[in-house]
Amino acid sequence: MSLPYFDAAAVRRAAPWTTVIAALERALRDGVNPEEDSPRLFSPAPGGEFLLMPAVGRSFSGIKALTVATGNPARGLEKIQGVFLLIDSDTLAPLAVMDGNELTAIRTPATTLLAVKHILAAAHGGAPEAPRVLVFGAGIQALNHIRAAHAVIPDANFSVVGQRPERTQTLIAQLATEGIEVRPGTVAEVPAADLVLCTTSSRTPLFDGNQVAPGAVVAAVGQHGLDAREVDAALVRRSDVVVEGRASAWREAGDLIPARTAQEWEAIHPANLQDLITGRFNRTPGHPCLYAGVGMAWEDLVTAALVYERGSTP
């Protein structure tokens, strides 16, 4: 068997931000239900673990297979590595293999900005002009979230808060070559931000949730796992909340639990992405809105199908 392989560059070429965002929205409008998405599967591996994310669809199905090697960064290697296998849903025959890291690096910001776009549109008085966007993190997800946000909100003003100044400056310099102006930021800017993007591997809250402005939007998308926290319980409790999927949030959204128990969240029944983009979500005047994302397999499948259909095989 000889399968086409889409490397990172091929995935990028076939999946521009606005195209991926439109594909994700179209999938949700056409009936993709986040509550039916397959759970992420974890299995031990030497020096780390496997993450397996299967997804099914009418035309295509697939599975993303990732490895997490906690010792890799000390060796100068990526901590997370993997591939995506795209499958024909009719015959279950493999169709293509793709770079799993690049697929993740694209679908996560695209999903976040799909949510942010609709949350901002639902604000009383509409989305702010030239919104102030504060980004926590200076890794690949921070870089790509700024790229995606610039594509969706071209008038936005960006600042970034990173743990290591040299990494922050590298990110700023890279984006400058792409015509995106970003300046170094600080935690003190949280009260003035219209949009806060949390794209870190932090296990503890990044800022005081009481400092977030009424009406602001916070997206916490850097982590999955019930022991992970990018935002605190104070923000969760004072915010309107949107999740990718309710079931996936109860399993993995440490930003939401233990601010409230899974049973309390089930009773609250927060909007998921499908509810959001089909108009079944209303903002509360004077409240922030928190979008909590953990990453879901259906997003990988939609993006991989787009790459396969648009991309040219090597």
Side-chain angles (χ1 to χ4, degrees), residues 209-256:
N210 290 306
Q211 296 298 310
V212 174
V217 178
V218 177
V221 297
Q223 284 280 40
H224 65 267
L226 295 181
D227 60 345
R229 309 272 184 277
E230 288 189 290
V231 299
D232 61 15
L235 177 65
V236 175
R237 290 184 172 275
R238 62 185 286 252
S239 297
D240 296 328
V241 172
V242 177
V243 296
E244 278 174 298
R246 286 176 285 273
S248 62
W250 313 159
R251 289 191 300 267
E252 297 188 14
D255 288 312
L256 302 184

Side-chain angles (χ1 to χ4, degrees), residues 35 82 102 228 254 260 290 306:
E35 304 311 324
E102 191 64 25
R260 290 188 172 94
L290 171 65
L306 179 73

Side-chain angles (χ1 to χ4, degrees), residues 77-120:
L77 300 173
E78 293 291 334
K79 177 181 176 181
I80 300 175
Q81 303 182 62
V83 296
F84 186 91
L85 178 63
L86 187 68
I87 295 168
D88 181 274
S89 289
D90 182 33
T91 65
L92 296 186
L95 296 172
V97 180
M98 300 178 192
D99 185 293
N101 283 32
E102 191 64 25
L103 200 69
T104 304
I106 290 171
R107 63 83 154 142
T108 304
T111 305
T112 302
L113 268 296
L114 171 62
V116 165
K117 179 179 73 168
H118 284 274
I119 292 169
L120 289 173

Side-chain angles (χ1 to χ4, degrees), residues 10 55 93 116-117 136 186 202 257 262:
V116 165
K117 179 179 73 168
F136 283 85
T186 69
S202 177
I257 299 170

Side-chain angles (χ1 to χ4, degrees), residues 142-158:
L143 179 69
N144 278 348
H145 271 79
I146 294 172
R147 287 167 169 162
H150 179 71
V152 173
I153 320 169
D155 295 331
N157 297 301
F158 295 98

